Amino acid sequence: MGASKSDFFTQQQNQTAEIFKALGHPARIAIIEHILSMNSCICGDLVDVLPLSQATVSQHLRELKNANIIQGTIEGKGVCYCINEETIKQIKSILEIYIESSEKKNTGCC
Amino acid sequence: MGASKSDFFTQQQNQTAEIFKALGHPARIAIIEHILSMNSCICGDLVDVLPLSQATVSQHLRELKNANIIQGTIEGKGVCYCINEETIKQIKSILEIYIESSEKKNTGCC
DNA sequence: TTGTTATATTGCAATATTACGATAAAGAAA
DNA sequence: TTTCTTTATCGTAATATTGCAATATAACAA
């Protein structure tokens, strides 16, 4: 079919997957890294930095916003972006649980 | 178009995005969590646990393997799966860098 | 050998994503 | 007002992903 069967998974699993999915594109990683590399919140010079059209950059920004990874506040005629630390911390802690859980298993089968 | 312009991004960015992408599906999150919930490496009872056909589960497993998130070793007529801790740690540390970098910025613009 | 079980692969249809040109919307500057 | 600048959205084409039935492969059992 093509549509993923989200209904069969837990809300947690769906939400976790959605954040990871939003991070799963090199352009969006580049956007995040560029926002972080600025010493202040960035006000939309992303189009100059990325090899993508303005429309495409805007679309990637929307996806990051939808996943709560970045926030944008209107500032005059531009928009000011910054990272939503909470979301990053949230998935970091999920990974920590995975690592912990994996370390508890002392079967050397793989 | 539709293909992502990987050539324009760094190898690091592409690799990071690929791991996140592999984690970006609820079925694959469920697979990881099920593998971790077992006290030993799991030997392929995933099809019974997931609401997906054997073919689909196998495909998801391949994607997790390609991204180095899980490992599978043949054991008799079955396959034994476990998590590749290193890869999880690798992306955890990327997120840590993001968080650190974000915390250094004390502009309260967002 | 044949049969059974476990996993992988192939082929295909349905759906989603990616990218961009064109256009819209909204504030700033003239 | 008009024009410019900045960002968002629409429409569309190219490509990728998801899911499954059918089939293949591989190891064991009889």
Side-chain angles (χ1 to χ4, degrees), chain A residues 8 11 15 30 37 49 51 63 68 72 75 80 86 93 103:
Chain A
F8 293 99
Q11 217 206 318
Q15 208 226 335
S37 76
V49 179
E63 275 174 74
N68 253 290
E75 186 144 309
C80 177
E86 285 317 305
S93 78
E103 275 172 348

Side-chain angles (χ1 to χ4, degrees), chain B residues 28-40:
Chain B
R28 294 195 286 267
I29 294 292
I31 287 172
I32 289 169
E33 292 183 347
H34 186 71
I35 293 179
L36 288 171
S37 76
M38 298 286 100
N39 268 332
S40 67

Side-chain angles (χ1 to χ4, degrees), chain A residues 56-68:
Chain A
T56 305
V57 171
S58 184
Q59 206 172 272
H60 282 305
L61 286 168
R62 185 175 47 189
E63 275 174 74
L64 288 169
K65 261 184 280 183
N66 285 345
N68 253 290

Side-chain angles (χ1 to χ4, degrees), chain A residues 5 7 10 48 53 55 72 82 86 88 91 97 100-103:
Chain A
K5 306 174 102 182
D7 295 353
T10 67
D48 304 326
S53 76
C82 63
E86 285 317 305
I88 309 281
I91 51 170
I97 291 166
E100 236 178 274
S101 175
S102 170
E103 275 172 348

Side-chain angles (χ1 to χ4, degrees), chain B residues 16-30:
Chain B
T16 303
E18 231 172 275
I19 298 170
F20 281 131
K21 191 175 178 186
L23 292 169
H25 192 288
R28 294 195 286 267
I29 294 292

Side-chain angles (χ1 to χ4, degrees), chain A residues 11-54:
Chain A
Q11 217 206 318
Q12 251 277 33
Q13 287 168 335
N14 281 313
Q15 208 226 335
T16 302
E18 233 173 272
I19 299 171
F20 281 130
K21 192 175 176 184
L23 293 169
H25 192 288
R28 295 195 286 268
I29 294 293
I31 288 172
I32 290 169
E33 292 183 347
H34 187 70
I35 293 178
L36 289 171
S37 76
M38 300 286 99
N39 268 332
S40 67
C41 291
I42 199 181
C43 290
D45 56 357
L46 283 161
V47 179
D48 304 326
V49 179
L50 297 169
L52 297 168
S53 76
Q54 184 269 323

